[in-house]
Amino acid sequence: EDSTLLPTHTGSNPASITRAELVSSFANRILHSKMYKLLYLGMALLSVVCLVLSFIEQCPSGIFYWLDAALNLIMIVEVLIRVNAMGKNFWKSVWNVIDIFLVFLCILTLFWLIFGECQNGSGSWETELDAFLLIARNGLQLVRLIIMMNKNRHRLTQRGPQAIDFSN
């Protein structure tokens, strides 16, 4: 019998799983849970609120910063869950690459707004850039969420655990 075809284990217990396998398994359980669907719906609603606020407020208010920071945190957690659940397959979808880009854009925009100086009615290029970044970022994020929810409409209404499809 050829022993090279048998799996090798690094731990003392051949039935043990690695930490990476444990994290991946946990992420898959979350990805296929009802809680994940609710997280996704919450992200969409929060994105709509942030988009509306970015249209009506020339200089963002304190509530906008808190909502935007919460949305950024939720997006980061959501993407990390998918990266861990999907492993190398995560990078095979264009939507996942777009999500990584959006997360970085969201973080940069938030830092720009927090540390930048908003001047009401000044007409400066910084004020125009602030408005453009907010509207573009929140608009792209909302479009992405709507596309994903539309693509997975039947899965979002079914009972029981179902994965949200992020493939092309």
Side-chain angles (χ1 to χ4, degrees):
E1 200 173 329
D2 188 10
S3 63
T4 59
L5 297 177
L6 298 174
T8 58
H9 298 280
T10 57
S12 60
N13 183 357
S16 66
I17 61 174
T18 65
R19 184 177 304 219
E21 291 169 330
L22 188 62
V23 168
S24 177
S25 174
F26 184 68
N28 269 301
R29 289 186 75 176
I30 292 172
L31 189 65
H32 295 30
S33 70
K34 187 174 184 174
M35 181 204 68
Y36 188 78
K37 294 175 191 176
L38 294 173
L39 175 78
Y40 217 76
L41 184 60
M43 280 178 42
L45 293 173
L46 202 51
S47 184
V48 168
V49 170
C50 286
L51 183 62
V52 168
L53 287 175
S54 64
F55 272 115
I56 62 175
E57 296 179 342
Q58 186 172 1
C59 287
S61 64
I63 188 76
F64 176 84
Y65 289 126
W66 283 104
L67 291 175
D68 200 48
L71 182 59
N72 283 331
L73 182 64
I74 293 169
M75 280 181 54
I76 291 167
V77 168
E78 187 262 340
V79 169
L80 287 174
I81 289 170
R82 283 191 289 127
V83 167
N84 282 299
M86 299 172 75
K88 293 178 184 174
N89 290 329
F90 177 85
W91 301 104
K92 293 180 180 178
S93 170
V94 171
W95 290 109
N96 291 335
V97 175
I98 290 171
D99 286 346
I100 295 292
F101 171 75
L102 277 174
V103 166
F104 282 116
L105 181 61
C106 290
I107 292 168
L108 287 174
T109 305
L110 184 61
F111 278 111
W112 176 270
L113 293 172
I114 289 172
F115 298 112
E117 197 173 308
C118 185
Q119 302 156 349
N120 275 321
S122 70
S124 70
W125 70 270
E126 291 96 347
T127 305
E128 292 174 17
L129 181 62
D130 286 350
F132 173 76
L133 284 174
L134 276 174
I135 292 168
R137 190 277 314 263
N138 290 325
L140 281 171
Q141 185 179 48
L142 183 60
V143 167
R144 172 229 177 229
L145 290 169
I146 290 170
I147 289 170
M148 290 300 153
M149 290 177 77
N150 188 41
K151 186 177 178 183
N152 294 283
R153 186 175 355 156
H154 66 282
R155 289 187 176 135
L156 292 171
T157 57
Q158 288 179 344
R159 290 187 161 264
Q162 298 288 326
I164 293 179
D165 182 12
F166 290 97
S167 64
N168 290 335

